[in-house]
Amino acid sequence: MENSATPLILSVDDDAVLSVHVNSSLKKFYQVVSVNSAEAAFAFLKDKTVDLIVLDVLMPGMNGLQMYKLLRQDEATANIPVIFLTGSTDEELVEELIKSGADDFISKPVSPAELLMHVRNQLEKSKKK
């Protein structure tokens, strides 16, 4: 990630309202691209390099956890920080996210300030790697 460039965030969420919320929360500080599925995210990542992914856990088709595991298996995407968003209160799911090695996760609903703080923290951590 270049210091002079504005970081590019990929938001992956099947909920259009939440996608708008994430985009509007971050667009003042970052470039944000929103897609509505894991499949669309992989198509985008074939041509672009992103600095961070905000990823919904529960989506139709490939869910966020499945996508995360595939990201980690590919050398081109293995080191992209991922922040999971989940509306689920299922303790087993949260445990699975932690066991997966997730960089970070936030429970929905999320405030713009909280989301921004998590994004900044993850981008700072990734710069130090």
Side-chain angles (χ1 to χ4, degrees), residues 22-75:
V22 168
N23 196 315
S24 64
S25 298
L26 301 175
K27 70 181 180 182
K28 184 175 178 182
F29 304 99
Y30 306 106
Q31 298 175 67
V32 183
V33 173
S34 298
V35 295
N36 64 4
S37 69
E39 294 79 6
F42 281 116
F44 181 81
L45 290 167
K46 282 184 182 178
D47 300 322
K48 300 279 186 190
T49 302
V50 300
D51 298 289
L52 184 135
I53 298 171
V54 177
L55 180 58
D56 184 23
V57 177
L58 301 175
M59 296 185 291
M62 184 186 302
N63 71 36
L65 197 53
Q66 292 166 326
M67 179 181 169
Y68 178 78
K69 289 174 181 176
L70 290 174
L71 287 168
R72 292 300 177 248
Q73 292 172 11
D74 185 337
E75 195 175 300

Side-chain angles (χ1 to χ4, degrees), residues 70-127:
L70 290 174
L71 287 168
R72 292 300 177 248
Q73 292 172 11
D74 185 337
E75 195 175 300
T77 58
N79 295 314
I80 300 171
V82 174
I83 299 174
F84 282 108
L85 288 181
T86 183
S88 175
T89 55
D90 182 344
E91 289 184 23
E92 287 180 25
L93 177 63
V94 172
E95 189 176 314
E96 195 172 349
L97 289 175
I98 293 167
K99 285 180 180 176
S100 75
D103 298 296
D104 200 355
F105 69 93
I106 307 170
S107 295
K108 296 177 190 175
V110 60
S111 73
E114 181 183 9
L115 179 61
L116 191 56
M117 181 190 70
H118 282 268
V119 167
R120 284 185 174 149
N121 287 344
Q122 288 305 316
L123 288 173
E124 283 301 313
K125 279 185 193 176
S126 71
K127 278 186 198 175

